[in-house]
PDB file of all heavy atoms in Angstrom:
ATOM      1  N   TYR A  25      -0.783  21.795   1.753  1.00  0.00           N
ATOM      2  CA  TYR A  25      -0.219  20.564   1.278  1.00  0.00           C
ATOM      3  C   TYR A  25       0.885  20.149   2.219  1.00  0.00           C
ATOM      4  O   TYR A  25       1.818  20.923   2.499  1.00  0.00           O
ATOM      5  CB  TYR A  25       0.343  20.707  -0.166  1.00  0.00           C
ATOM      6  CG  TYR A  25       1.079  19.447  -0.623  1.00  0.00           C
ATOM      7  CD1 TYR A  25       0.396  18.528  -1.385  1.00  0.00           C
ATOM      8  CD2 TYR A  25       2.423  19.211  -0.278  1.00  0.00           C
ATOM      9  CE1 TYR A  25       1.062  17.363  -1.815  1.00  0.00           C
ATOM     10  CE2 TYR A  25       3.035  18.086  -0.698  1.00  0.00           C
ATOM     11  CZ  TYR A  25       2.353  17.128  -1.484  1.00  0.00           C
ATOM     12  OH  TYR A  25       3.001  15.999  -1.856  1.00  0.00           O
ATOM     13  N   ILE A  26       0.799  18.911   2.761  1.00  0.00           N
ATOM     14  CA  ILE A  26       1.851  18.449   3.652  1.00  0.00           C
ATOM     15  C   ILE A  26       2.288  17.029   3.277  1.00  0.00           C
ATOM     16  O   ILE A  26       1.452  16.244   2.805  1.00  0.00           O
ATOM     17  CB  ILE A  26       1.452  18.520   5.152  1.00  0.00           C
ATOM     18  CG1 ILE A  26       0.097  17.790   5.355  1.00  0.00           C
ATOM     19  CG2 ILE A  26       1.353  19.953   5.632  1.00  0.00           C
ATOM     20  CD1 ILE A  26      -0.291  17.678   6.824  1.00  0.00           C
ATOM     21  N   ASP A  27       3.517  16.781   3.509  1.00  0.00           N
ATOM     22  CA  ASP A  27       4.150  15.458   3.315  1.00  0.00           C
ATOM     23  C   ASP A  27       4.867  15.092   4.598  1.00  0.00           C
ATOM     24  O   ASP A  27       6.085  15.329   4.723  1.00  0.00           O
ATOM     25  CB  ASP A  27       5.140  15.520   2.119  1.00  0.00           C
ATOM     26  CG  ASP A  27       5.746  14.187   1.806  1.00  0.00           C
ATOM     27  OD1 ASP A  27       5.161  13.165   2.178  1.00  0.00           O
ATOM     28  OD2 ASP A  27       6.819  14.213   1.219  1.00  0.00           O
ATOM     29  N   PRO A  28       4.124  14.729   5.658  1.00  0.00           N
ATOM     30  CA  PRO A  28       4.701  14.508   6.993  1.00  0.00           C
ATOM     31  C   PRO A  28       5.625  13.362   7.103  1.00  0.00           C
ATOM     32  O   PRO A  28       5.714  12.516   6.135  1.00  0.00           O
ATOM     33  CB  PRO A  28       3.484  14.327   7.888  1.00  0.00           C
ATOM     34  CG  PRO A  28       2.466  13.717   6.970  1.00  0.00           C
ATOM     35  CD  PRO A  28       2.715  14.345   5.676  1.00  0.00           C
ATOM     36  N   PRO A  29       6.393  13.184   8.150  1.00  0.00           N
ATOM     37  CA  PRO A  29       7.207  11.970   8.330  1.00  0.00           C
ATOM     38  C   PRO A  29       6.341  10.696   8.229  1.00  0.00           C
ATOM     39  O   PRO A  29       5.215  10.715   8.754  1.00  0.00           O
ATOM     40  CB  PRO A  29       7.765  12.114   9.782  1.00  0.00           C
ATOM     41  CG  PRO A  29       7.656  13.574  10.055  1.00  0.00           C
ATOM     42  CD  PRO A  29       6.500  14.110   9.324  1.00  0.00           C
ATOM     43  N   TYR A  30       6.857   9.714   7.537  1.00  0.00           N
ATOM     44  CA  TYR A  30       6.033   8.523   7.305  1.00  0.00           C
ATOM     45  C   TYR A  30       6.105   7.480   8.442  1.00  0.00           C
ATOM     46  O   TYR A  30       5.409   6.450   8.442  1.00  0.00           O
ATOM     47  CB  TYR A  30       6.453   7.877   6.002  1.00  0.00           C
ATOM     48  CG  TYR A  30       5.980   8.582   4.755  1.00  0.00           C
ATOM     49  CD1 TYR A  30       6.304   8.137   3.485  1.00  0.00           C
ATOM     50  CD2 TYR A  30       5.154   9.732   4.897  1.00  0.00           C
ATOM     51  CE1 TYR A  30       5.866   8.802   2.361  1.00  0.00           C
ATOM     52  CE2 TYR A  30       4.737  10.382   3.751  1.00  0.00           C
ATOM     53  CZ  TYR A  30       5.070   9.919   2.499  1.00  0.00           C
ATOM     54  OH  TYR A  30       4.635  10.619   1.349  1.00  0.00           O
ATOM     55  N   ASN A  31       6.936   7.784   9.449  1.00  0.00           N
ATOM     56  CA  ASN A  31       7.017   6.923  10.623  1.00  0.00           C
ATOM     57  C   ASN A  31       7.357   5.491  10.216  1.00  0.00           C
ATOM     58  O   ASN A  31       6.716   4.545  10.624  1.00  0.00           O
ATOM     59  CB  ASN A  31       5.729   6.959  11.428  1.00  0.00           C
ATOM     60  CG  ASN A  31       5.941   6.436  12.867  1.00  0.00           C
ATOM     61  OD1 ASN A  31       7.038   6.344  13.336  1.00  0.00           O
ATOM     62  ND2 ASN A  31       4.833   6.047  13.476  1.00  0.00           N
ATOM     63  N   THR A  32       8.436   5.352   9.479  1.00  0.00           N
ATOM     64  CA  THR A  32       8.863   4.013   9.002  1.00  0.00           C
ATOM     65  C   THR A  32       9.625   3.271  10.059  1.00  0.00           C
ATOM     66  O   THR A  32       9.925   2.067   9.897  1.00  0.00           O
ATOM     67  CB  THR A  32       9.770   4.183   7.778  1.00  0.00           C
ATOM     68  OG1 THR A  32      10.963   4.868   8.138  1.00  0.00           O
ATOM     69  CG2 THR A  32       9.077   4.907   6.656  1.00  0.00           C
ATOM     70  N   GLY A  33      10.037   3.915  11.109  1.00  0.00           N
ATOM     71  CA  GLY A  33      10.870   3.307  12.144  1.00  0.00           C
ATOM     72  C   GLY A  33      12.285   3.429  11.869  1.00  0.00           C
ATOM     73  O   GLY A  33      13.196   2.888  12.586  1.00  0.00           O
ATOM     74  N   ALA A  34      12.657   4.121  10.787  1.00  0.00           N
ATOM     75  CA  ALA A  34      14.087   4.285  10.367  1.00  0.00           C
ATOM     76  C   ALA A  34      14.675   5.611  10.733  1.00  0.00           C
ATOM     77  O   ALA A  34      15.397   6.240   9.969  1.00  0.00           O
ATOM     78  CB  ALA A  34      14.150   4.072   8.893  1.00  0.00           C
ATOM     79  N   LYS A  35      14.321   6.106  11.951  1.00  0.00           N
ATOM     80  CA  LYS A  35      14.855   7.373  12.415  1.00  0.00           C
ATOM     81  C   LYS A  35      14.571   8.515  11.429  1.00  0.00           C
ATOM     82  O   LYS A  35      15.428   9.327  11.130  1.00  0.00           O
ATOM     83  CB  LYS A  35      16.364   7.274  12.686  1.00  0.00           C
ATOM     84  CG  LYS A  35      16.720   6.388  13.842  1.00  0.00           C
ATOM     85  CD  LYS A  35      18.232   6.482  14.181  1.00  0.00           C
ATOM     86  CE  LYS A  35      18.591   5.623  15.367  1.00  0.00           C
ATOM     87  NZ  LYS A  35      20.035   5.717  15.718  1.00  0.00           N
ATOM     88  N   ASP A  36      13.356   8.585  10.938  1.00  0.00           N
ATOM     89  CA  ASP A  36      13.007   9.634  10.011  1.00  0.00           C
ATOM     90  C   ASP A  36      12.344  10.829  10.695  1.00  0.00           C
ATOM     91  O   ASP A  36      11.990  11.803  10.010  1.00  0.00           O
ATOM     92  CB  ASP A  36      12.115   9.109   8.869  1.00  0.00           C
ATOM     93  CG  ASP A  36      10.839   8.469   9.358  1.00  0.00           C
ATOM     94  OD1 ASP A  36      10.705   8.184  10.560  1.00  0.00           O
ATOM     95  OD2 ASP A  36       9.933   8.242   8.548  1.00  0.00           O
ATOM     96  N   TRP A  37      12.117  10.744  11.998  1.00  0.00           N
ATOM     97  CA  TRP A  37      11.542  11.907  12.730  1.00  0.00           C
ATOM     98  C   TRP A  37      11.787  11.758  14.235  1.00  0.00           C
ATOM     99  O   TRP A  37      12.062  10.688  14.722  1.00  0.00           O
ATOM    100  CB  TRP A  37      10.071  12.109  12.400  1.00  0.00           C
ATOM    101  CG  TRP A  37       9.187  11.069  13.036  1.00  0.00           C
ATOM    102  CD1 TRP A  37       9.005   9.771  12.643  1.00  0.00           C
ATOM    103  CD2 TRP A  37       8.292  11.241  14.144  1.00  0.00           C
ATOM    104  NE1 TRP A  37       8.088   9.132  13.444  1.00  0.00           N
ATOM    105  CE2 TRP A  37       7.621  10.045  14.360  1.00  0.00           C
ATOM    106  CE3 TRP A  37       7.974  12.341  14.990  1.00  0.00           C
ATOM    107  CZ2 TRP A  37       6.708   9.833  15.374  1.00  0.00           C
ATOM    108  CZ3 TRP A  37       7.048  12.129  16.013  1.00  0.00           C
ATOM    109  CH2 TRP A  37       6.402  10.882  16.171  1.00  0.00           C
ATOM    110  N   LYS A  38      11.660  12.888  14.911  1.00  0.00           N
ATOM    111  CA  LYS A  38      11.954  12.954  16.332  1.00  0.00           C
ATOM    112  C   LYS A  38      10.658  13.234  17.107  1.00  0.00           C
ATOM    113  O   LYS A  38       9.785  13.964  16.634  1.00  0.00           O
ATOM    114  CB  LYS A  38      12.989  14.069  16.669  1.00  0.00           C
ATOM    115  CG  LYS A  38      14.399  13.729  16.460  1.00  0.00           C
ATOM    116  CD  LYS A  38      15.316  14.818  16.927  1.00  0.00           C
ATOM    117  CE  LYS A  38      16.811  14.417  16.810  1.00  0.00           C
ATOM    118  NZ  LYS A  38      17.660  15.506  17.295  1.00  0.00           N
ATOM    119  N   TYR A  39      10.578  12.675  18.308  1.00  0.00           N
ATOM    120  CA  TYR A  39       9.538  13.056  19.271  1.00  0.00           C
ATOM    121  C   TYR A  39      10.199  13.350  20.591  1.00  0.00           C
ATOM    122  O   TYR A  39      10.891  12.493  21.130  1.00  0.00           O
ATOM    123  CB  TYR A  39       8.498  11.941  19.396  1.00  0.00           C
ATOM    124  CG  TYR A  39       7.301  12.343  20.204  1.00  0.00           C
ATOM    125  CD1 TYR A  39       6.211  12.876  19.524  1.00  0.00           C
ATOM    126  CD2 TYR A  39       7.268  12.239  21.607  1.00  0.00           C
ATOM    127  CE1 TYR A  39       5.056  13.291  20.227  1.00  0.00           C
ATOM    128  CE2 TYR A  39       6.122  12.654  22.278  1.00  0.00           C
ATOM    129  CZ  TYR A  39       5.038  13.169  21.605  1.00  0.00           C
ATOM    130  OH  TYR A  39       3.910  13.559  22.298  1.00  0.00           O
ATOM    131  N   ASN A  40      10.070  14.574  21.036  1.00  0.00           N
ATOM    132  CA  ASN A  40      10.752  15.008  22.272  1.00  0.00           C
ATOM    133  C   ASN A  40      12.257  14.739  22.238  1.00  0.00           C
ATOM    134  O   ASN A  40      12.887  14.167  23.143  1.00  0.00           O
ATOM    135  CB  ASN A  40      10.190  14.247  23.521  1.00  0.00           C
ATOM    136  CG  ASN A  40       8.985  14.943  24.049  1.00  0.00           C
ATOM    137  OD1 ASN A  40       8.763  16.174  23.783  1.00  0.00           O
ATOM    138  ND2 ASN A  40       8.189  14.306  24.836  1.00  0.00           N
ATOM    139  N   ASN A  41      12.876  15.223  21.133  1.00  0.00           N
ATOM    140  CA  ASN A  41      14.298  15.166  20.925  1.00  0.00           C
ATOM    141  C   ASN A  41      14.901  13.779  20.776  1.00  0.00           C
ATOM    142  O   ASN A  41      16.100  13.638  20.810  1.00  0.00           O
ATOM    143  CB  ASN A  41      15.014  15.925  22.097  1.00  0.00           C
ATOM    144  CG  ASN A  41      16.334  16.488  21.674  1.00  0.00           C
ATOM    145  OD1 ASN A  41      16.522  17.021  20.593  1.00  0.00           O
ATOM    146  ND2 ASN A  41      17.352  16.331  22.549  1.00  0.00           N
ATOM    147  N   ASP A  42      14.039  12.747  20.645  1.00  0.00           N
ATOM    148  CA  ASP A  42      14.490  11.424  20.409  1.00  0.00           C
ATOM    149  C   ASP A  42      13.994  10.888  19.100  1.00  0.00           C
ATOM    150  O   ASP A  42      12.785  11.063  18.784  1.00  0.00           O
ATOM    151  CB  ASP A  42      14.044  10.494  21.521  1.00  0.00           C
ATOM    152  CG  ASP A  42      14.835  10.710  22.828  1.00  0.00           C
ATOM    153  OD1 ASP A  42      15.977  11.077  22.756  1.00  0.00           O
ATOM    154  OD2 ASP A  42      14.217  10.417  23.913  1.00  0.00           O
ATOM    155  N   TYR A  43      14.880  10.213  18.324  1.00  0.00           N
ATOM    156  CA  TYR A  43      14.405   9.565  17.111  1.00  0.00           C
ATOM    157  C   TYR A  43      13.495   8.398  17.460  1.00  0.00           C
ATOM    158  O   TYR A  43      13.773   7.616  18.379  1.00  0.00           O
ATOM    159  CB  TYR A  43      15.562   9.087  16.254  1.00  0.00           C
ATOM    160  CG  TYR A  43      16.259  10.200  15.501  1.00  0.00           C
ATOM    161  CD1 TYR A  43      17.481  10.705  15.974  1.00  0.00           C
ATOM    162  CD2 TYR A  43      15.643  10.812  14.402  1.00  0.00           C
ATOM    163  CE1 TYR A  43      18.102  11.724  15.257  1.00  0.00           C
ATOM    164  CE2 TYR A  43      16.278  11.836  13.748  1.00  0.00           C
ATOM    165  CZ  TYR A  43      17.493  12.320  14.188  1.00  0.00           C
ATOM    166  OH  TYR A  43      18.094  13.366  13.541  1.00  0.00           O
ATOM    167  N   VAL A  44      12.382   8.283  16.747  1.00  0.00           N
ATOM    168  CA  VAL A  44      11.448   7.181  16.993  1.00  0.00           C
ATOM    169  C   VAL A  44      11.811   6.001  16.143  1.00  0.00           C
ATOM    170  O   VAL A  44      11.848   6.147  14.888  1.00  0.00           O
ATOM    171  CB  VAL A  44       9.972   7.659  16.719  1.00  0.00           C
ATOM    172  CG1 VAL A  44       9.025   6.465  16.962  1.00  0.00           C
ATOM    173  CG2 VAL A  44       9.644   8.782  17.632  1.00  0.00           C
ATOM    174  N   GLU A  45      12.132   4.867  16.724  1.00  0.00           N
ATOM    175  CA  GLU A  45      12.609   3.687  15.954  1.00  0.00           C
ATOM    176  C   GLU A  45      11.485   2.621  15.980  1.00  0.00           C
ATOM    177  O   GLU A  45      10.482   2.689  16.651  1.00  0.00           O
ATOM    178  CB  GLU A  45      13.878   3.174  16.594  1.00  0.00           C
ATOM    179  CG  GLU A  45      14.973   4.167  16.657  1.00  0.00           C
ATOM    180  CD  GLU A  45      16.298   3.634  17.089  1.00  0.00           C
ATOM    181  OE1 GLU A  45      16.784   2.631  16.471  1.00  0.00           O
ATOM    182  OE2 GLU A  45      16.878   4.128  18.045  1.00  0.00           O
ATOM    183  N   SER A  46      11.731   1.629  15.116  1.00  0.00           N
ATOM    184  CA  SER A  46      10.650   0.590  14.883  1.00  0.00           C
ATOM    185  C   SER A  46      10.376  -0.165  16.144  1.00  0.00           C
ATOM    186  O   SER A  46       9.264  -0.726  16.285  1.00  0.00           O
ATOM    187  CB  SER A  46      11.097  -0.315  13.742  1.00  0.00           C
ATOM    188  OG  SER A  46      12.347  -0.922  14.073  1.00  0.00           O
ATOM    189  N   GLU A  47      11.328  -0.282  17.086  1.00  0.00           N
ATOM    190  CA  GLU A  47      11.131  -1.076  18.287  1.00  0.00           C
ATOM    191  C   GLU A  47      10.313  -0.304  19.358  1.00  0.00           C
ATOM    192  O   GLU A  47       9.926  -0.908  20.386  1.00  0.00           O
ATOM    193  CB  GLU A  47      12.443  -1.480  18.862  1.00  0.00           C
ATOM    194  CG  GLU A  47      13.266  -2.484  18.030  1.00  0.00           C
ATOM    195  CD  GLU A  47      14.069  -1.766  16.921  1.00  0.00           C
ATOM    196  OE1 GLU A  47      14.087  -0.524  16.967  1.00  0.00           O
ATOM    197  OE2 GLU A  47      14.487  -2.429  16.008  1.00  0.00           O
ATOM    198  N   ASP A  48      10.077   0.954  19.120  1.00  0.00           N
ATOM    199  CA  ASP A  48       9.356   1.770  20.092  1.00  0.00           C
ATOM    200  C   ASP A  48       7.910   1.287  20.207  1.00  0.00           C
ATOM    201  O   ASP A  48       7.173   1.332  19.213  1.00  0.00           O
ATOM    202  CB  ASP A  48       9.393   3.227  19.689  1.00  0.00           C
ATOM    203  CG  ASP A  48       8.905   4.177  20.802  1.00  0.00           C
ATOM    204  OD1 ASP A  48       7.997   3.751  21.549  1.00  0.00           O
ATOM    205  OD2 ASP A  48       9.443   5.282  20.859  1.00  0.00           O
ATOM    206  N   LEU A  49       7.468   0.812  21.410  1.00  0.00           N
ATOM    207  CA  LEU A  49       6.111   0.311  21.563  1.00  0.00           C
ATOM    208  C   LEU A  49       5.048   1.412  21.395  1.00  0.00           C
ATOM    209  O   LEU A  49       3.921   1.056  21.063  1.00  0.00           O
ATOM    210  CB  LEU A  49       5.986  -0.307  22.969  1.00  0.00           C
ATOM    211  CG  LEU A  49       6.819  -1.545  23.278  1.00  0.00           C
ATOM    212  CD1 LEU A  49       6.592  -2.056  24.669  1.00  0.00           C
ATOM    213  CD2 LEU A  49       6.472  -2.677  22.266  1.00  0.00           C
ATOM    214  N   TYR A  50       5.467   2.656  21.526  1.00  0.00           N
ATOM    215  CA  TYR A  50       4.489   3.759  21.386  1.00  0.00           C
ATOM    216  C   TYR A  50       4.752   4.523  20.099  1.00  0.00           C
ATOM    217  O   TYR A  50       4.314   5.678  19.980  1.00  0.00           O
ATOM    218  CB  TYR A  50       4.613   4.706  22.593  1.00  0.00           C
ATOM    219  CG  TYR A  50       4.142   4.088  23.918  1.00  0.00           C
ATOM    220  CD1 TYR A  50       5.000   3.458  24.758  1.00  0.00           C
ATOM    221  CD2 TYR A  50       2.807   4.188  24.249  1.00  0.00           C
ATOM    222  CE1 TYR A  50       4.532   2.875  25.930  1.00  0.00           C
ATOM    223  CE2 TYR A  50       2.326   3.619  25.404  1.00  0.00           C
ATOM    224  CZ  TYR A  50       3.172   2.980  26.256  1.00  0.00           C
ATOM    225  OH  TYR A  50       2.709   2.417  27.403  1.00  0.00           O
ATOM    226  N   ARG A  51       5.376   3.843  19.127  1.00  0.00           N
ATOM    227  CA  ARG A  51       5.752   4.527  17.890  1.00  0.00           C
ATOM    228  C   ARG A  51       4.523   5.166  17.205  1.00  0.00           C
ATOM    229  O   ARG A  51       4.555   6.316  16.820  1.00  0.00           O
ATOM    230  CB  ARG A  51       6.405   3.538  16.994  1.00  0.00           C
ATOM    231  CG  ARG A  51       6.624   3.920  15.539  1.00  0.00           C
ATOM    232  CD  ARG A  51       7.223   2.818  14.805  1.00  0.00           C
ATOM    233  NE  ARG A  51       6.832   2.801  13.389  1.00  0.00           N
ATOM    234  CZ  ARG A  51       6.884   1.749  12.603  1.00  0.00           C
ATOM    235  NH1 ARG A  51       7.306   0.569  13.124  1.00  0.00           N
ATOM    236  NH2 ARG A  51       6.515   1.815  11.366  1.00  0.00           N
ATOM    237  N   HIS A  52       3.451   4.401  17.079  1.00  0.00           N
ATOM    238  CA  HIS A  52       2.268   4.921  16.342  1.00  0.00           C
ATOM    239  C   HIS A  52       1.496   5.972  17.120  1.00  0.00           C
ATOM    240  O   HIS A  52       1.098   6.977  16.570  1.00  0.00           O
ATOM    241  CB  HIS A  52       1.353   3.758  15.964  1.00  0.00           C
ATOM    242  CG  HIS A  52       1.989   2.760  15.067  1.00  0.00           C
ATOM    243  ND1 HIS A  52       2.419   3.101  13.774  1.00  0.00           N
ATOM    244  CD2 HIS A  52       2.345   1.461  15.254  1.00  0.00           C
ATOM    245  CE1 HIS A  52       2.966   2.046  13.178  1.00  0.00           C
ATOM    246  NE2 HIS A  52       2.920   1.035  14.066  1.00  0.00           N
ATOM    247  N   SER A  53       1.359   5.795  18.448  1.00  0.00           N
ATOM    248  CA  SER A  53       0.647   6.794  19.173  1.00  0.00           C
ATOM    249  C   SER A  53       1.406   8.103  19.325  1.00  0.00           C
ATOM    250  O   SER A  53       0.858   9.149  19.377  1.00  0.00           O
ATOM    251  CB  SER A  53       0.248   6.228  20.567  1.00  0.00           C
ATOM    252  OG  SER A  53       1.391   5.892  21.328  1.00  0.00           O
ATOM    253  N   LYS A  54       2.747   8.025  19.381  1.00  0.00           N
ATOM    254  CA  LYS A  54       3.588   9.248  19.380  1.00  0.00           C
ATOM    255  C   LYS A  54       3.321  10.008  18.067  1.00  0.00           C
ATOM    256  O   LYS A  54       3.173  11.221  18.105  1.00  0.00           O
ATOM    257  CB  LYS A  54       5.034   8.903  19.527  1.00  0.00           C
ATOM    258  CG  LYS A  54       5.432   8.472  20.953  1.00  0.00           C
ATOM    259  CD  LYS A  54       6.940   8.195  21.015  1.00  0.00           C
ATOM    260  CE  LYS A  54       7.333   7.837  22.440  1.00  0.00           C
ATOM    261  NZ  LYS A  54       8.798   7.487  22.518  1.00  0.00           N
ATOM    262  N   TRP A  55       3.299   9.259  16.985  1.00  0.00           N
ATOM    263  CA  TRP A  55       3.102   9.899  15.654  1.00  0.00           C
ATOM    264  C   TRP A  55       1.716  10.554  15.597  1.00  0.00           C
ATOM    265  O   TRP A  55       1.562  11.693  15.105  1.00  0.00           O
ATOM    266  CB  TRP A  55       3.261   8.888  14.567  1.00  0.00           C
ATOM    267  CG  TRP A  55       3.273   9.457  13.128  1.00  0.00           C
ATOM    268  CD1 TRP A  55       4.349   9.982  12.482  1.00  0.00           C
ATOM    269  CD2 TRP A  55       2.148   9.618  12.284  1.00  0.00           C
ATOM    270  NE1 TRP A  55       3.973  10.391  11.240  1.00  0.00           N
ATOM    271  CE2 TRP A  55       2.628  10.205  11.126  1.00  0.00           C
ATOM    272  CE3 TRP A  55       0.796   9.307  12.407  1.00  0.00           C
ATOM    273  CZ2 TRP A  55       1.779  10.496  10.065  1.00  0.00           C
ATOM    274  CZ3 TRP A  55      -0.043   9.598  11.346  1.00  0.00           C
ATOM    275  CH2 TRP A  55       0.433  10.172  10.163  1.00  0.00           C
ATOM    276  N   LEU A  56       0.691   9.881  16.104  1.00  0.00           N
ATOM    277  CA  LEU A  56      -0.669  10.403  16.059  1.00  0.00           C
ATOM    278  C   LEU A  56      -0.754  11.680  16.945  1.00  0.00           C
ATOM    279  O   LEU A  56      -1.407  12.632  16.564  1.00  0.00           O
ATOM    280  CB  LEU A  56      -1.644   9.338  16.513  1.00  0.00           C
ATOM    281  CG  LEU A  56      -1.900   8.211  15.523  1.00  0.00           C
ATOM    282  CD1 LEU A  56      -2.649   7.086  16.208  1.00  0.00           C
ATOM    283  CD2 LEU A  56      -2.693   8.728  14.337  1.00  0.00           C
ATOM    284  N   ALA A  57      -0.129  11.611  18.138  1.00  0.00           N
ATOM    285  CA  ALA A  57      -0.161  12.804  18.991  1.00  0.00           C
ATOM    286  C   ALA A  57       0.584  13.980  18.337  1.00  0.00           C
ATOM    287  O   ALA A  57       0.104  15.117  18.379  1.00  0.00           O
ATOM    288  CB  ALA A  57       0.499  12.449  20.329  1.00  0.00           C
ATOM    289  N   PHE A  58       1.685  13.660  17.702  1.00  0.00           N
ATOM    290  CA  PHE A  58       2.480  14.674  16.994  1.00  0.00           C
ATOM    291  C   PHE A  58       1.652  15.303  15.858  1.00  0.00           C
ATOM    292  O   PHE A  58       1.582  16.516  15.731  1.00  0.00           O
ATOM    293  CB  PHE A  58       3.720  13.933  16.422  1.00  0.00           C
ATOM    294  CG  PHE A  58       4.543  14.636  15.382  1.00  0.00           C
ATOM    295  CD1 PHE A  58       5.577  15.505  15.764  1.00  0.00           C
ATOM    296  CD2 PHE A  58       4.303  14.444  14.046  1.00  0.00           C
ATOM    297  CE1 PHE A  58       6.377  16.105  14.834  1.00  0.00           C
ATOM    298  CE2 PHE A  58       5.111  15.119  13.083  1.00  0.00           C
ATOM    299  CZ  PHE A  58       6.147  15.934  13.491  1.00  0.00           C
ATOM    300  N   MET A  59       0.983  14.466  15.077  1.00  0.00           N
ATOM    301  CA  MET A  59       0.167  15.025  13.987  1.00  0.00           C
ATOM    302  C   MET A  59      -1.077  15.744  14.473  1.00  0.00           C
ATOM    303  O   MET A  59      -1.454  16.780  13.935  1.00  0.00           O
ATOM    304  CB  MET A  59      -0.259  13.852  13.050  1.00  0.00           C
ATOM    305  CG  MET A  59       0.912  13.237  12.210  1.00  0.00           C
ATOM    306  SD  MET A  59       1.620  14.448  11.080  1.00  0.00           S
ATOM    307  CE  MET A  59       0.184  14.775  10.009  1.00  0.00           C
ATOM    308  N   GLU A  60      -1.743  15.193  15.450  1.00  0.00           N
ATOM    309  CA  GLU A  60      -3.010  15.788  15.923  1.00  0.00           C
ATOM    310  C   GLU A  60      -2.785  17.246  16.378  1.00  0.00           C
ATOM    311  O   GLU A  60      -3.568  18.146  16.102  1.00  0.00           O
ATOM    312  CB  GLU A  60      -3.579  14.990  17.118  1.00  0.00           C
ATOM    313  CG  GLU A  60      -4.933  15.534  17.561  1.00  0.00           C
ATOM    314  CD  GLU A  60      -5.457  14.780  18.770  1.00  0.00           C
ATOM    315  OE1 GLU A  60      -4.623  14.548  19.701  1.00  0.00           O
ATOM    316  OE2 GLU A  60      -6.648  14.474  18.843  1.00  0.00           O
ATOM    317  N   ARG A  61      -1.693  17.476  17.162  1.00  0.00           N
ATOM    318  CA  ARG A  61      -1.421  18.839  17.632  1.00  0.00           C
ATOM    319  C   ARG A  61      -1.322  19.818  16.475  1.00  0.00           C
ATOM    320  O   ARG A  61      -1.794  20.974  16.557  1.00  0.00           O
ATOM    321  CB  ARG A  61      -0.142  18.831  18.489  1.00  0.00           C
ATOM    322  CG  ARG A  61      -0.317  18.079  19.794  1.00  0.00           C
ATOM    323  CD  ARG A  61       0.982  18.243  20.641  1.00  0.00           C
ATOM    324  NE  ARG A  61       0.808  17.482  21.876  1.00  0.00           N
ATOM    325  CZ  ARG A  61       1.514  16.422  22.224  1.00  0.00           C
ATOM    326  NH1 ARG A  61       2.453  15.968  21.376  1.00  0.00           N
ATOM    327  NH2 ARG A  61       1.287  15.783  23.352  1.00  0.00           N
TER     328      ARG A  61
END
């Protein structure tokens, strides 16, 4: 059972030590790569 970060763009998770914000053009693909691994 998992409840992963929802990727709302509100600094709710990090990718490579950086918070992913709503303005990030690669926001969704970063999340998908994060989840896929």
Side-chain angles (χ1 to χ4, degrees):
Y25 174 94
I26 53 174
D27 182 22
Y30 284 178
N31 197 19
T32 64
K35 292 187 176 182
D36 58 345
W37 70 287
K38 280 184 174 182
Y39 190 90
N40 274 341
N41 206 42
D42 285 332
Y43 284 104
V44 179
E45 302 187 56
S46 57
E47 294 81 11
D48 191 326
L49 295 178
Y50 290 93
R51 169 182 149 203
H52 298 296
S53 61
K54 285 180 178 179
W55 188 87
L56 287 166
F58 169 88
M59 289 296 297
E60 183 186 44
R61 292 185 180 112

